[in-house]
């Protein structure tokens, strides 16, 4: 089982790989467009490195980013190599759940099988 930590400016991502699922737990004090792009880029890089198609992302950022930047973030995500992947996203904050669900619908329209969850156990079962 792979375990490693990647550090970025304002966040860190704890990676583990079990049963063909890459688990990425993002920790930090606040979210922003720049932080989100940076941590998703690290997740995409790790996904390619591990050659997996199922990814579980747990976001544990204390402060949410700006809702108006989520669509711009989505546009960046479509270029990061998640096509054909199954991506489960768990936001422990839940304040932006409906926006994240909208992004998951857009992702599915672009070839990324994505779903949003409020708890990790449901996301794990879905994967």
């Amino acid at each position: 089982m792979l375990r490693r930590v990647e550090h970025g400016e304002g966040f860190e991502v704890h990676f583990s790989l079990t049963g063909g699922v890459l688990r990425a737990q993002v920790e930090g004090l606040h979210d922003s467009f720049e932080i989100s792009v940076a941590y998703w880029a690290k997740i995409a890089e790790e996904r390619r490195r591990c050659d997996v198609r199922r990814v579980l992302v747990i976001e544990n950022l204390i402060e949410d980013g700006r809702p108006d930047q989520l669509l711009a973030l989505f546009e960046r995500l479509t270029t990061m190599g998640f096509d054909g992947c199954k991506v489960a996203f768990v936001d422990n904050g839940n304040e932006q759940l409906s926006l994240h669900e909208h992004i998951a619908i857009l992702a599915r329209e672009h070839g990324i099988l994505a779903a949003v969850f409020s708890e990790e156990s449901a996301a794990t079962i879905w994967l």
Side-chain angles (χ1 to χ4, degrees):
M1 174 173 32
L2 163 90
R3 287 198 183 275
R4 58 192 229 105
V5 178
E6 284 282 327
H7 298 276
E9 191 169 323
F11 69 94
E12 59 185 31
V13 184
H14 299 257
F15 290 108
S16 61
L17 179 63
T18 307
V21 175
L22 177 65
R23 183 181 186 277
Q25 183 168 321
V26 182
E27 301 287 343
L29 295 179
H30 64 276
D31 198 0
S32 68
F33 176 78
E34 294 77 16
I35 286 173
S36 291
V37 168
Y39 84 67
W40 277 104
K42 288 190 180 292
I43 293 168
E45 181 180 312
E46 189 71 11
R47 187 208 65 76
R48 283 189 299 276
R49 193 177 77 72
C50 295
D51 193 28
V52 296
R53 307 302 281 167
R54 294 182 297 155
V55 180
L56 172 61
V57 179
I58 313 297
E59 186 184 88
N60 285 329
L61 299 173
I62 295 171
E63 259 180 43
D64 285 331
R66 291 182 21 211
D68 62 319
Q69 295 179 331
L70 279 176
L71 285 176
L73 173 63
F74 166 73
E75 291 173 9
R76 295 294 270 296
L77 290 175
T78 61
T79 66
M80 291 185 181
F82 288 102
D83 315 26
C85 291
K86 196 170 186 180
V87 180
F89 181 80
V90 179
D91 183 356
N92 288 328
N94 283 335
E95 288 82 21
Q96 296 181 340
L97 188 61
S98 63
L99 284 171
H100 289 135
E101 288 171 344
H102 180 71
I103 298 300
I105 291 167
L106 292 174
R108 288 191 294 271
E109 292 173 357
H110 286 81
I112 304 167
L113 185 54
V116 176
F117 301 88
S118 57
E119 55 187 48
E120 184 174 350
S121 60
T124 302
I125 291 168
W126 180 78
L127 282 169

